[in-house]
Amino acid sequence: MSRWYIIHAYSGFENKVREQILSDAQRLGLENMVESVEVPTEKVTEIRRGKKVTSDRKFFPGYVLAKLAMSDQVYHLVKNTPKVTGFLGPNGKPQPISEAEAARILNTKEEAAAAAPKQKVKVDYEIGDAVKVLDGPFASFNGVVEELDFDRSRVKVSVSIFGRATPVELEFEQVERAK
């Protein structure tokens, strides 16, 4: 019977570990015992140079989920995979997690795809930073960030118009950090 296990790997090598486990299982004829190997990721929208960029971000860096029919062969297959430090569990012994817990971890991918507007947005400026307006009627104006509204993807910037500070609400991608 297959159960979900969490494998600890070197951070940054999760996808290589996944590919290596799957290819080794096929090479050794254990593919029926290695049902699934997943790297938990989520979609993140970042603002880079005024453009929205969507990328995948690992939300459990250094961990890989695998649905395995645990046996000595499968244990050694995973344990001897390069860049794997072991299983998550007491004293490094494989401790299975519940189906519900695995579904909760893995469904965050599908939930992120289904709730596209609710993706996390990452901006390279914060409250108090000097920014330059790139687009709209205030293009080429400089200002200071007063508020960040991640729910609506909007930023409030204090712009100097005719010598007076005026608050202006803009989209995240209309603003970039002043250089």
Side-chain angles (χ1 to χ4, degrees), residues 84-122:
V84 168
T85 58
F87 285 91
L88 198 66
N91 301 324
K93 293 203 181 350
Q95 179 75 43
I97 61 172
S98 70
E99 198 72 37
E101 182 74 10
R104 188 185 64 76
I105 293 168
L106 295 173
N107 282 344
T108 51
K109 290 193 289 191
E110 288 78 37
E111 287 167 13
K118 293 186 178 181
Q119 290 177 349
K120 292 182 182 176
V121 177
K122 185 177 169 189

